[in-house]
Amino acid sequence: MSPSPQGLSELLGIIAKWERGDFSEADKDHNYIWDLQDGTLGKARGLLGKEEELKFIGEWFLNEEKTEVTNEGKRPDGN
């Protein structure tokens, strides 16, 4: 992958957002990189909500069947 100067600028912008902890457009950012690499599998279709994200993390990374979420968007253990 060798992006154009405009593509390089876009990638640096994505990195800058992510360094600030701004993942509000992570789906669009992912798809930009995916398109650069001629992706054919794994196109993002949107962002997960907080509860969906915690459930995904629990199922795939913490080996939990269900991760509960409080009204503040935190698990009962405070994380």
Side-chain angles (χ1 to χ4, degrees), residues 25-46:
E25 297 180 331
D27 54 339
K28 293 177 184 75
D29 298 339
H30 164 87
N31 287 340
Y32 180 79
I33 297 165
W34 183 80
D35 284 334
L36 281 178
Q37 297 178 329
D38 297 322
T40 59
L41 180 65
K43 186 172 186 176
R45 296 176 288 167

Side-chain angles (χ1 to χ4, degrees), residues 3-64:
S4 66
Q6 180 182 0
L8 182 57
S9 177
E10 182 71 26
L11 290 171
L12 292 172
I14 290 169
I15 291 168
K17 280 191 300 187
W18 291 2
E19 283 180 330
R20 292 189 308 269
D22 178 2
F23 301 101
S24 62
E25 297 180 331
D27 54 339
K28 293 177 184 75
D29 298 339
H30 164 87
N31 287 340
Y32 180 79
I33 297 165
W34 183 80
D35 284 334
L36 281 178
Q37 297 178 329
D38 297 322
T40 59
L41 180 65
K43 186 172 186 176
R45 296 176 288 167
L47 299 173
L48 296 177
K50 190 60 137 178
E51 188 169 331
E52 294 169 310
E53 184 177 357
L54 289 173
K55 181 179 178 189
F56 178 86
I57 290 167
E59 290 174 354
W60 288 93
F61 299 103
L62 302 177
N63 210 17
E64 299 173 5

